[in-house]
Amino acid sequence: MSTPTMIEQTVDVGGKTIFYAETGAGPAVLLLHGGGPGASGVSNFSRNIAELAKSFRVIVPDLPGYGRSSKGVDQNDPFGYLADSIRGLLDRLDIRKAHLVGNSYGGACALRLALDTPDRVDRMVLMGPGGIGTTRALPTTGLQHLLAYYGGAGPSREKLETFIREDLVFDGSAVPAEVIDTRYQSSIDPEVIANPPLRRPSGLRTLWRMDFTRDSRLAELATPTLVIWGSADKVNRPSGGKMLADIMPNCDLLLAANAGHWVQWERADYFNQVTHTFLTV
């Protein structure tokens, strides 16, 4: 089977530009990337898009603040801002209901979108999502490094390489140097440096709002959800998976061996298979 052609587009959502790539045909699946420095949709899901496009209409946006989308995120309610933007993208594409697949920051975006408008989400796959139990323990070392990237002496390739090889993945030697080079160049966009999209919460109210385990709606969210968490995740604690499974009524949980925070890249064949199966049940 030949690889479907990928188209690239930008659309206006509430006066902001959202970039997305699209390929394949079938039920709509949005792939929502993580929030690390220099992240973007297509690069984060490079090992998944073609396989999922065999069965689905795969839409891969750059989240606000990243890639080719407009920079700037509302720091008073980051997850809500991301969710509103992606819902706006669905509206512009005339998609009433879609599957959401989200990693880390993108997982938090997906979960918030489902909580706010559950009728817009068919099924969800969340990989090490952000915002799970974050007010119940101190930040992990990986998350502290992530949040500190633009602080101190500012961004550097060395700082990014250390984060990716030591905090992001289980086997740092498996990440090609060109992946780090590409992400570094994206991370030093002057607009991003001036307004980093991922920051420490701006106050106690924001901190509380960004912990989904404090949201009473979570226990009522009936969206069928598959949570996949790397057993060696150093950014978001794997214990977050059990929290979600205990609270959400229709939540399945998989703990992926030999994987850190980037399961869809580190265990791509496994991820593609279980995601395809879950979305077609």
Side-chain angles (χ1 to χ4, degrees):
M1 178 182 292
S2 60
T3 302
T5 300
M6 182 181 292
I7 63 166
E8 297 182 343
Q9 304 263 21
T10 58
V11 294
D12 182 276
V13 176
K16 300 286 188 177
T17 297
I18 298 293
F19 167 87
Y20 71 94
E22 178 179 339
T23 184
V29 177
L30 265 70
L31 306 183
L32 305 174
H33 66 81
S40 65
V42 171
S43 66
N44 273 211
F45 291 100
S46 61
R47 296 182 172 184
N48 320 113
I49 294 169
E51 191 63 32
L52 292 175
K54 294 176 182 178
S55 303
F56 301 101
R57 177 187 178 186
V58 177
I59 299 162
V60 195
D62 287 344
L63 293 177
Y66 293 87
R68 285 181 265 180
S69 292
S70 289
K71 305 307 181 281
V73 171
D74 180 0
Q75 294 300 323
N76 291 316
D77 185 15
F79 297 161
Y81 183 84
L82 296 178
D84 290 347
S85 299
I86 296 304
R87 187 185 306 104
L89 175 62
L90 290 175
D91 291 340
R92 289 300 311 271
L93 297 180
D94 198 27
I95 297 172
R96 180 61 198 165
K97 199 168 190 178
H99 300 303
L100 302 181
V101 177
N103 175 223
S104 193
Y105 208 36
C109 170
L111 194 48
R112 178 63 182 270
L113 198 160
L115 286 168
D116 290 347
T117 49
D119 59 309
R120 304 299 300 273
V121 183
D122 194 343
R123 288 174 170 254
M124 282 194 299
V125 179
L126 308 175
M127 302 89 76
I132 311 302
T134 45
T135 62
R136 303 176 190 276
L138 293 174
T140 62
T141 300
L143 185 57
Q144 290 182 54
H145 291 163
L146 177 56
L147 294 172
Y149 180 72
Y150 289 99
S156 69
R157 191 191 182 283
E158 180 182 10
K159 205 188 261 190
L160 183 60
E161 180 168 22
T162 298
F163 169 72
I164 289 176
R165 295 199 189 279
E166 297 184 9
D167 296 317
L168 186 67
V169 298
F170 175 74
D171 179 8
S173 66
V175 181
E178 54 265 28
V179 169
I180 297 169
D181 291 336
T182 300
R183 287 190 59 152
Y184 175 62
Q185 289 304 316
S186 296
S187 79
I188 57 173
D189 180 317
E191 284 190 87
V192 177
I193 293 175
N195 197 1
L198 184 62
R199 307 184 203 175
R200 299 182 190 279
S202 57
L204 187 58
R205 183 179 179 186
T206 300
L207 179 67
W208 208 260
R209 183 187 281 157
M210 291 177 71
D211 184 350
F212 292 109
T213 67
R214 303 289 185 182
D215 193 326
S216 61
R217 299 175 297 171
L218 195 62
E220 307 299 326
L221 185 60
T223 305
T225 301
L226 172 63
V227 174
I228 307 173
W229 220 297
S231 62
D233 193 331
K234 295 178 183 177
V235 178
N236 292 333
R237 290 182 176 87
S239 57
K242 184 66 163 55
M243 289 183 187
L244 286 176
D246 285 344
I247 298 171
M248 298 176 70
N250 296 313
C251 179
D252 294 316
L253 174 62
L254 288 175
L255 195 63
N258 303 316
H261 192 54
W262 224 13
V263 175
Q264 80 279 8
W265 192 88
E266 299 176 79
R267 298 283 309 276
D269 291 342
Y270 172 76
F271 171 84
N272 293 339
Q273 183 176 11
V274 298
T275 297
H276 180 276
T277 299
F278 181 75
L279 297 182
T280 52
V281 169

